[in-house]
Amino acid sequence: MELTFLGIGTRGDLYPLLGIAREAQDRGHGVRVLEYDEYRDDVLDAGLSFVPVGAGSQSGAVFAGVPLGSASADSEWKIDRLGFEAALASASAFVSVMRALDPLPDASVAPGFHIGAALASEILSVPLIAVYLGSSVLEPYDQRNASGFRTTRYSREARLIDRVAMPRINRIRRDVGLPETRDSFARADLAGGVVLAPGPLRRFPPGAPSTFESAGYPRYFGPSTHTVDSETKSFLKECSLPLVICTLGDGWVKALPVPLHELFIDADYGIFRLLFVGSRVPGLTPGRNTRVLRRANLLELMDYADVSVNHGGMGTIMAALSASVPSVTVSQWPDGRRNARLLAEYGLGRDLGAISEPGLLRRAILDTVNDSTQWQLLDEARHEIISDPNPTDIILTRLEAS
């Protein structure tokens, strides 16, 4: 098969696609990855064919627009709206590029709610498999109820989303030569897809729609060239203080600057050692107990970590659980907040929501380091991940069936 994988402008969403794409290519399938040029090197370093869609990043405006301060229901709506605007703005570009591919694809794989992927696949009459990072996508749905929703609140929210989204999607449909539709944008359960999550986080809630299938999270966190340098490796191997690996980059640096600066100060005072990984980290200066890496293979780093401080992204959670490392989560993104709540529920980390109280992050890190009750649960989660279903197997099987 000729397969096309379409990104949405974040490495957190792109890397699991690259892991699946690499394995599909190793099995003899043709693979091309459509993304904006900020991620050209990520795709090429993975050994895959890169097809540019545009300049910069589709989600640049999303990171720039993350609301400041503590997360709330209102900020979650704003972030979801920013994501929708980015998907809408890029839809025509993805359609144009995919239409021009030679040879045309036999099937496509893309993150859920990817408007460009959905429209291009419809135009070319090829199947599209939507992938979702974590089971939070299932939260609104319950097939045991006639409405298909778990609560009336979720039903009302879906109607509101469609009232806003569908007229604008229909304008794009007309622009690319498709007829208008009354289909729902908000009803991800109608088409379903493959939910990627590690170990215990793969569990579906009661009444989860049968259109969804669960699979393990792809074990791809960057090419072999993303190994740490010898100086950083020596820093990782020191055992004088607990090691905190923090991946709160991009929009979270902008939204929560004070807690992140406190982390650097705490490391300077010798409370712990800190390795900060992120590509957008302005104004954060490393000290004697701190190192900053623009990019790294998280699986390699987690072997040395005592605590992972992250935003609840599924890739970081996967890397941490694979090494039996507990998480302290500080989440602004809606799906990250849901992932964080699940981690805390299963005893695999601490969920701080979005920090507002000074010193809260430091106390959570120290409490996590000293918590002896979590290690058995973390070890069980690590072993569960080993037997997770292979996501490439499941996606290829769904494509062959379609």
Side-chain angles (χ1 to χ4, degrees):
M1 281 188 291
E2 285 291 332
L3 303 177
T4 299
F5 291 78
L6 299 89
I8 59 169
T10 75
R11 288 189 173 87
D13 290 284
L14 177 62
Y15 273 42
L17 289 180
L18 296 183
I20 295 166
R22 279 163 54 96
E23 189 167 346
Q25 182 170 269
D26 289 343
R27 299 184 189 188
H29 297 285
V31 168
R32 286 164 293 183
V33 180
L34 277 61
E35 247 296 9
Y36 278 67
D37 65 2
E38 180 173 327
Y39 306 100
R40 176 190 302 270
D41 289 346
D42 297 279
V43 176
L44 296 177
D45 287 346
L48 299 167
S49 175
F50 173 75
V51 181
V53 175
S57 166
Q58 174 188 343
S59 294
V62 181
F63 290 126
V66 171
L68 302 179
S70 298
S72 63
D74 184 58
S75 71
E76 288 193 4
W77 272 102
K78 288 179 179 177
I79 291 173
D80 279 339
R81 182 66 179 262
L82 286 168
F84 170 74
E85 295 292 344
L88 198 69
S90 64
S92 294
F94 275 105
V95 169
S96 296
V97 171
M98 195 159 154
R99 269 175 156 170
L101 291 176
D102 185 17
L104 290 172
D106 298 307
S108 299
V109 181
F113 303 107
H114 195 305
I115 299 171
L119 296 181
S121 298
E122 183 178 346
I123 289 170
L124 299 178
S125 298
V126 298
L128 168 66
I129 300 294
V131 295
Y132 297 89
L133 307 186
S135 59
S136 64
V137 66
L138 304 170
E139 188 175 312
Y141 310 114
D142 189 335
Q143 65 182 7
R144 298 171 299 181
N145 297 330
S147 68
F149 289 96
R150 198 165 299 279
T151 65
T152 55
R153 177 176 69 86
Y154 285 127
S155 178
R156 287 195 302 269
E157 286 179 358
R159 290 196 299 271
L160 175 61
I161 291 170
D162 281 339
R163 194 176 305 137
V164 173
M166 289 311 301
R168 301 185 65 191
I169 291 174
N170 275 325
R171 283 200 291 272
I172 300 291
R173 291 179 64 88
R174 291 195 300 270
D175 290 344
V176 299
L178 287 170
E180 293 189 12
T181 180
R182 294 191 177 187
D183 290 347
S184 169
F185 172 75
R187 292 291 301 268
D189 60 314
L190 298 180
V194 178
V195 174
L196 308 179
L201 302 190
R202 284 196 305 105
R203 297 167 192 163
F204 280 10
S210 57
T211 50
F212 290 98
E213 192 170 358
S214 74
Y217 196 88
R219 296 181 66 85
Y220 180 76
F221 294 86
S224 57
T225 54
H226 287 175
T227 56
V228 299
D229 59 86
S230 58
E231 181 182 349
T232 304
K233 183 67 71 71
S234 297
F235 174 78
L236 293 172
K237 290 181 177 178
E238 293 175 15
C239 299
S240 55
L241 295 168
L243 176 63
V244 175
I245 293 182
C246 178
T247 54
L248 294 176
D250 298 326
W252 293 270
V253 173
K254 174 179 178 289
L256 297 168
V258 174
L260 293 179
H261 279 87
E262 286 181 350
L263 262 188
F264 279 62
I265 293 170
D266 290 339
D268 281 344
Y269 279 129
I271 297 174
F272 43 71
R273 291 175 298 132
L274 175 66
L275 179 64
F276 192 101
V277 182
S279 58
R280 296 178 175 91
V281 287
L284 297 175
T285 305
R288 61 189 178 90
N289 290 322
T290 308
R291 298 291 185 275
V292 174
L293 293 179
R294 180 176 180 273
R295 200 179 306 171
N297 186 316
L298 291 181
L299 280 179
E300 179 184 11
L301 298 181
M302 290 300 173
D303 283 338
Y304 302 93
D306 294 289
V307 178
S308 167
V309 174
N310 61 70
H311 59 268
M314 195 54 71
T316 311
I317 289 174
M318 165 67 174
L321 291 178
S322 295
S324 297
V325 174
S327 290
V328 173
T329 51
V330 183
S331 15
Q332 292 287 115
W333 217 262
D335 59 348
R337 286 165 62 79
R338 298 179 190 117
N339 295 339
R341 287 195 290 268
L342 280 178
L343 271 183
E345 178 183 331
Y346 295 141
L348 304 171
R350 283 171 166 76
D351 174 18
L352 300 186
I355 299 172
S356 57
E357 179 186 342
L360 181 61
L361 183 53
R362 176 180 64 251
R363 292 196 297 274
I365 290 171
L366 294 178
D367 288 346
T368 301
V369 168
N370 295 318
D371 184 359
S372 60
T373 64
Q374 64 194 336
W375 303 116
Q376 182 176 344
L377 295 173
L378 286 162
D379 192 56
E380 290 172 356
R382 179 174 62 84
H383 282 92
E384 189 173 345
I385 288 171
I386 295 172
S387 58
D388 279 345
N390 184 307
T392 307
D393 287 343
I394 288 174
I395 286 173
L396 291 177
T397 298
R398 285 176 75 105
L399 287 174
E400 288 162 0
S402 63

